[in-house]
Amino acid sequence: YVVCLALVAMSLALVFYTPLLANAVPTTHVQAELGSVVTTIQPGTSFWVVLQLRMPAGWHTYWQNPGDAGLATAVHWLLPAGFTAGDIVWPYPQRLPVGPLMNYGYEGAVSLLTQITTPADLPPGQHVTLRAETTWVACAKICVPEAATLELRLPVSTAKPQDDARWQAVLAEVQPMLPRAAPRTVLFAA
């Protein structure tokens, strides 16, 4: 009986402290997934959310400046009241030459980061759903516009957020590929 109660208590703890992630959404040429680097969120804090796009061999998506052709991936956030989303943080792109044109984007997979900030008066003990309407263009020999609506459901707690090992590993992998501020100030004059 005591063992059963302990198992039930552990199960309830796991349900409360584990985020309910949306399943990966496959489109014709890309698999899109939304993840959080933390498994719980605190009122009045910020945390990273990852939009991961995976493409089959030969396909690519585009960077914030796609170059001579293409269209950048876009995210339109539908957040609960009081939540805010920062701009997409883009890792360095690859050069994608096509004939005389030069494009910039990602082959294989890309993880785009967004910092989400919670309101200070967010009540603990509930779950919140973050929704992202995403669009991108996937290209190989042809280009195809694609879209997916992704959701991420996270519990609110006053306790220090727990890390999600999978998405923390993705963040650690992406961080060295993020642009950094130049170490010197450069001035130009005519």
Side-chain angles (χ1 to χ4, degrees):
Y1 179 73
V2 172
V3 172
C4 288
L5 284 177
L7 288 174
V8 168
M10 286 175 30
S11 297
L12 289 174
L14 284 174
V15 167
F16 183 75
Y17 287 105
T18 301
L20 303 173
L21 299 178
N23 293 328
V25 174
T27 61
T28 305
H29 304 290
V30 173
Q31 182 170 310
E33 190 171 7
L34 196 60
S36 169
V37 300
V38 293
T39 60
T40 61
I41 56 176
Q42 276 184 311
T45 62
S46 297
F47 62 99
W48 288 106
V49 171
V50 181
L51 168 62
Q52 190 171 69
L53 304 176
R54 290 185 293 280
M55 293 76 65
W59 288 85
H60 63 267
T61 60
Y62 291 97
W63 185 48
Q64 63 182 340
N65 173 0
D68 293 324
L71 189 65
T73 297
V75 179
H76 174 71
W77 289 98
L78 302 171
L79 301 172
F83 279 71
T84 59
D87 294 331
I88 295 174
V89 178
W90 302 82
Y92 286 117
Q94 298 165 282
R95 293 169 57 120
L96 303 168
V98 178
L101 304 177
M102 182 56 68
N103 299 320
Y104 304 97
Y106 309 97
E107 295 177 319
V110 62
S111 296
L112 305 176
L113 307 176
T114 302
Q115 194 167 51
I116 304 289
T117 302
T118 64
D121 61 352
L122 184 65
Q126 66 173 323
H127 284 78
V128 295
T129 300
L130 312 178
R131 182 175 290 119
E133 293 179 348
T134 59
T135 58
W136 60 85
V137 173
C139 293
K141 292 182 180 178
I142 61 167
C143 290
V144 181
E146 295 187 337
T149 299
L150 304 168
E151 289 187 355
L152 181 62
R153 191 165 183 240
L154 294 164
V156 180
S157 173
T158 56
K160 181 178 184 255
Q162 300 296 308
D163 291 343
D164 183 298
R166 175 185 173 202
W167 295 106
Q168 282 287 345
V170 170
L171 180 65
E173 183 180 304
V174 171
Q175 282 178 324
M177 297 183 290
L178 298 178
R180 302 199 190 293
R184 295 177 181 79
T185 302
V186 178
L187 300 173
F188 294 93

